[in-house]
Amino acid sequence: MSDDPEIIIELKDVHKIYEMGETKVRALRGSSLEVKKGEFLSIEGPSGSGKSTLMNMIGCLDVPTSGKIHLERWDIEKLQESDLAQIRGKKIGFIFQTFNLIKNLTALENVAMPMMFQGVSREKRLKRARDLLVEVGLGERLNHKPAELSGGQQQRVAIARSLANDPDVILADEPTGNLDTKTGKKVLEMLKDLNEEEGKTIVMVTHDPKASGYAGRIVQIKDGVVE
């Protein structure tokens, strides 16, 4: 791990190979990356470049075939899955292109769910979920289920959910991919505010150069290699 205390996530010479029958897919080919606390980083690359695999590695959702990943002082390869899940749940919030909301839960319940896994009492998690939804402009939609919300509203629920455990890092995987231009701009402005006003570290994967324009640093990935 780097001695720089400002580095919150570090990938070092990370390879990821997926085996599909007799076929081996090399999704990452020796990628290295440092993410500093408080930065807004955009990862750009074409379809099939390894962006999503890289995001999974940064988010500690998967382990590399070879290479090292550190989340602050932890070497994720040395952690039990239960310990890693707890650390990940506290340190990292996720925003997905497809929103990944639970269809039979209300907006309030969707936002409250991550706190349940961290042992937060029902009363406290519902209060924080309510406060977060008000903060993202959905105070009138607390009891609406995903099917009753527009795409932009669902993405705002997803942003509120990503903030539930007050993580240091927000990972956004194509956060505007399913949104119209106007709504996408609002979501990007929300992410920029989280970075500038609340000091959240934002890592965004996108294929859209306009979205990358909101970031303070842009890196490119091509053929599984961070350039």
Side-chain angles (χ1 to χ4, degrees):
M1 180 69 182
S2 170
D3 293 329
D4 188 343
E6 290 302 305
I7 294 173
I8 194 166
I9 298 169
E10 181 183 30
L11 280 65
K12 193 170 183 180
D13 194 27
V14 168
H15 292 254
K16 185 64 182 180
I17 300 171
Y18 295 103
E19 296 191 11
M20 299 178 178
E22 295 182 359
T23 304
K24 291 186 177 181
V25 178
R26 299 181 181 274
L28 294 178
R29 304 168 181 255
S31 287
S32 297
L33 181 67
E34 293 178 346
V35 180
K36 292 194 172 185
K37 290 180 181 178
E39 76 170 326
F40 190 156
L41 170 67
S42 179
I43 299 169
E44 273 189 13
S47 178
S49 61
K51 296 193 305 295
S52 293
T53 302
L54 183 65
M55 179 65 89
N56 286 342
M57 296 295 162
I58 293 170
C60 305
L61 291 170
D62 201 354
V63 293
T65 304
S66 64
K68 290 288 185 183
I69 300 176
H70 286 90
L71 174 57
E72 287 191 335
R73 65 181 182 276
W74 294 284
D75 180 343
I76 71 161
E77 210 170 18
K78 294 179 180 177
L79 293 172
Q80 297 289 330
E81 176 54 36
S82 58
D83 295 329
L84 178 58
Q86 281 294 306
I87 293 166
R88 187 173 56 221
K90 290 177 182 175
K91 291 285 179 182
I92 302 174
F94 297 90
I95 303 169
F96 301 97
Q97 178 181 354
T98 52
F99 318 135
N100 284 18
L101 300 176
I102 298 173
K103 293 179 181 179
N104 63 338
L105 297 184
T106 65
L108 187 69
E109 290 165 338
N110 266 286
V111 176
M113 179 164 281
M115 292 179 273
M116 183 173 69
F117 297 116
Q118 296 296 325
V120 178
S121 71
R122 174 179 167 78
E123 182 181 356
K124 287 183 178 179
R125 63 180 185 257
L126 289 178
K127 181 183 184 306
R128 176 157 175 79
R130 189 176 294 109
D131 291 345
L132 286 168
L133 285 166
V134 169
E135 195 175 314
V136 299
L138 293 176
E140 302 300 316
R141 296 288 187 271
L142 302 179
N143 297 312
H144 287 60
K145 293 180 178 178
E148 301 169 314
L149 301 170
S150 69
Q153 288 171 336
Q154 289 184 61
Q155 191 61 295
R156 281 188 278 161
V157 174
I159 291 172
R161 181 185 57 189
S162 77
L163 295 169
N165 290 316
D166 195 23
D168 297 321
V169 182
I170 303 291
L171 300 188
D173 190 0
E174 299 280 9
T176 62
N178 283 332
L179 304 176
D180 62 73
T181 303
K182 184 178 178 182
T183 307
K185 183 179 178 182
K186 288 180 180 178
V187 165
L188 290 166
E189 288 172 350
M190 203 172 292
L191 291 175
K192 194 167 182 66
D193 286 345
L194 286 169
N195 173 246
E196 293 181 348
E197 296 178 15
E198 297 189 29
K200 300 294 183 187
T201 303
I202 310 289
V203 181
M204 176 175 66
V205 163
T206 184
H207 66 276
D208 182 0
K210 289 182 180 178
S212 287
Y214 286 78
R217 179 163 70 107
I218 301 169
V219 299
Q220 302 281 343
I221 183 169
K222 186 178 180 183
D223 297 328
V225 180
V226 174
E227 298 179 337

